[in-house]
Amino acid sequence: MKLGLLVDNLGASQLGYYVCKNTNAYLEQNPQADIRCYYESFEKTCMTPNFSTSNIIEAWDQKGPMLATTESTAQKLKNFVGTKQRFYYLWNLEWYNKVLPEDYVLWDSSIKLICRSYVHAQVIRNNFNREVDYVVDNFDIEEIMEIVNNDRIE
């Protein structure tokens, strides 16, 4: 039960809060799990993480599943050499008012999409003609770990 989380930061934000809160609670119940968080920018965390945190540069050759949480981290995930299981958790629709490049991450079928809500999933379907693989509310790490473990690439 291994997972790498790619975040912009764990600072004072709704996503940072849910990542720390839910991951801490999950690790309390599942101490054998190996969850690591890789950040793009270091900020004072909104709560103390009881899991490993490192700069995102440390993640590029890591084996095991990786879950990006922002457009920027998902773009980086596309180029990771050691990762075969790639997921993008769409917390918000940050790309919605932009002109998108041809190699935009939402068109990359090697990355499985997890949306925060069914409304987000419908927006993805309507704008990218792509089905979302999973819907998980408010970064429910138990559901995410179940998805990752059931979606293993042998």
Side-chain angles (χ1 to χ4, degrees), residues 18-36:
Y18 278 114
V19 167
C20 285
K21 176 184 172 284
N22 293 349
T23 304
N24 285 348
Y26 181 82
L27 289 172
E28 223 172 87
Q29 299 297 316
N30 303 279
Q32 75 286 359
D34 182 10
I35 299 176
R36 299 172 187 201

Side-chain angles (χ1 to χ4, degrees), residues 49-91:
N50 295 329
F51 49 89
S52 169
T53 62
S54 305
N55 190 282
I56 200 164
I57 194 71
E58 303 295 331
W60 76 274
D61 69 340
Q62 296 295 311
K63 308 288 186 264
M66 289 282 178
L67 178 90
T69 59
T70 65
E71 175 185 358
S72 174
T73 59
Q75 286 294 120
K76 287 176 177 68
L77 177 60
K78 284 173 47 172
N79 300 314
F80 284 6
V81 295
T83 304
K84 294 194 177 15
Q85 262 186 296
R86 295 179 171 99
F87 299 91
Y88 179 15
Y89 184 85
L90 286 107
W91 181 259

Side-chain angles (χ1 to χ4, degrees), residues 90 93 95-96 106-107 113 115 117-135:
L90 286 107
L93 304 176
W95 48 267
Y96 198 69
L106 290 176
W107 284 301
L113 300 180
C115 279
S117 70
Y118 288 101
V119 172
H120 285 183
Q122 187 172 5
V123 170
I124 297 297
R125 190 177 314 112
N126 291 343
N127 285 277
F128 293 92
N129 198 24
R130 178 173 177 193
E131 292 298 319
V132 169
D133 299 284
Y134 308 99
V135 175

